[in-house]
Amino acid sequence: MLTNLSYGSDLFHIPPYLIKPNPSLSRTNFPDSSLLCLADSIKRHGILQPLAVRLSTKGRYELIAGERRLRAAILLEMPTVPCILTDGKDLYEYLSVIENIQREKLTMFDEARAINRLHEKNGRDIPSTAKLLSISESDLGRKLKLCNLSRAEMQAITTLGIPEKTAVLFTDIPSRLRYYTIKLCAEENYTATETASLCSAISKASDLYPDDLEAFAKKHIKNLRTEKEPSMPQSSAPSKKTVILRDLRTFENSLRKLCTTLENAGCRTDIRTDPQNGKTTYTVTIHTI
């Protein structure tokens, strides 16, 4: 057991079995391939950045930052790992969360939980927390809302591959309807716009229960799609064009020129006129060779 440790920047080498993971760290799953790559790097170059730990009970230590390095060291069966002993000040909590968020490929919910813990430690001050994380206040608000979902709802969203901007829409729905709405929207392949509209409608329907949800959703989406369909003009019979010829001889000349053109092309033509009751009928016969 190590004794007489001092706080600060001094480096200590502590056996991994004496260090317990911090339950508040953001990452809950580490892909085997990621750990193996890190272990290979540590095997060749060593641990370049010390772990941050603080004193726990019974001569053990609690990890503040560097869980991947600790796990990789355990894989390599390293006897000790380099550590900096901290006094547990909030600064190290901030660094722990920010390190995990910025350096790990977290799920949207791991990230949301980590940000929520940092937000609570920061006095739930949205502008200050957003500045710490270098994100906008609206993005911070969206991520914090994800923490309102239950574990079952988070699991369903993850399994169904629903993106973050769509997932956050379900947080406005009453809890008794969320899980069913998540599955329904995924099964029916609703667009983000349709999902947003449906979630808004459900949040306003105070008397809606799971048994009525499917019928309510289908009716709402049907009405929404009908409203978006462009209105088709009513079909009407094509109007007949009236052509007024002030001089019939001009028309006859044009007709004869046409026939001449056809004859030059090798066709024989005949033009017959039949004037009756103030009307003249022109009949053109074309004889192809």
Side-chain angles (χ1 to χ4, degrees):
M1 184 183 298
L2 300 179
T3 58
N4 300 323
L5 296 182
S6 60
Y7 296 107
S9 59
D10 292 339
L11 193 65
F12 301 94
H13 291 271
I14 302 174
Y17 69 86
L18 290 178
I19 304 171
K20 64 178 183 179
N22 187 336
S24 68
L25 289 179
S26 53
R27 188 67 180 247
T28 57
N29 293 300
F30 293 86
D32 291 342
S33 59
S34 174
L35 283 178
L36 290 174
C37 287
L38 179 58
D40 182 63
S41 174
I42 290 174
K43 185 176 181 179
R44 287 184 284 112
H45 307 293
I47 296 179
L48 302 179
Q49 183 179 1
L51 288 67
V53 299
R54 63 185 169 194
L55 280 173
S56 182
T57 57
K58 298 180 180 179
R60 301 179 75 88
Y61 304 87
E62 183 176 70
L63 186 67
I64 298 299
E67 185 167 4
R68 289 181 70 246
R69 279 165 277 158
L70 176 61
R71 293 197 184 199
I74 292 172
L75 282 177
L76 293 172
E77 299 181 349
M78 295 178 65
T80 62
V81 290
C83 300
I84 294 175
L85 186 64
T86 80
D87 56 2
K89 290 183 179 179
D90 286 345
L91 172 61
Y92 287 95
E93 294 286 354
Y94 293 160
L95 293 177
S96 169
V97 175
I98 292 171
E99 177 190 46
N100 276 274
I101 291 172
Q102 293 180 343
R103 299 179 63 181
E104 299 294 337
K105 190 177 180 182
L106 303 176
T107 69
M108 72 173 88
F109 297 114
D110 281 340
E111 181 184 40
R113 284 188 288 261
I115 288 175
N116 188 50
R117 286 192 292 271
L118 178 63
H119 185 50
E120 289 177 352
K121 290 181 179 296
N122 199 35
R124 303 196 69 80
D125 184 335
I126 286 184
S128 176
T129 304
K131 187 175 180 180
L132 271 174
L133 296 170
S134 300
I135 61 176
S136 68
E137 292 182 23
S138 60
D139 283 345
L140 173 60
R142 185 179 69 248
K143 293 178 185 299
L144 292 175
K145 287 182 73 175
L146 290 174
C147 294
N148 295 331
L149 297 168
S150 70
R151 285 193 174 274
E153 292 159 357
M154 291 179 183
Q155 182 61 44
I157 287 171
T158 302
T159 302
L160 295 168
I162 296 173
E164 180 181 309
K165 288 186 178 180
T166 302
V168 77
L169 299 172
F170 299 115
T171 60
D172 295 328
I173 296 175
S175 57
R176 67 178 183 275
L177 297 171
R178 278 187 201 145
Y179 183 79
Y180 303 100
T181 305
I182 290 167
K183 293 197 69 177
L184 180 64
C185 289
E187 289 169 358
E188 297 295 331
N189 200 27
Y190 293 152
T191 66
T193 301
E194 290 171 342
T195 300
S197 177
L198 178 60
C199 289
S200 176
I202 291 174
S203 66
K204 297 173 184 176
S206 58
D207 57 345
L208 187 62
Y209 290 89
D211 290 344
D212 309 317
L213 179 62
E214 185 173 357
F216 177 90
K218 287 185 177 180
K219 181 179 179 181
H220 179 82
I221 297 300
K222 181 180 179 181
N223 292 337
L224 183 67
R225 290 172 177 174
T226 301
E227 290 174 2
K228 289 186 175 181
E229 288 179 357
S231 57
M232 299 297 292
Q234 294 183 350
S235 59
S236 57
S239 58
K240 294 182 178 180
K241 294 183 179 180
T242 303
V243 180
I244 300 175
L245 295 175
R246 298 185 180 278
D247 190 347
L248 201 57
R249 288 175 300 179
T250 302
F251 171 72
E252 290 179 356
N253 288 336
S254 298
L255 194 58
R256 294 186 185 282
K257 286 182 180 180
L258 176 61
C259 290
T260 301
T261 302
L262 290 172
E263 289 175 352
N264 291 336
C267 299
R268 186 165 60 85
T269 61
D270 292 325
I271 300 177
R272 293 177 56 190
T273 58
D274 185 14
Q276 288 184 357
N277 301 323
K279 296 180 180 180
T280 303
T281 302
Y282 291 84
T283 303
V284 179
T285 304
I286 302 173
H287 305 274
T288 58
I289 299 174

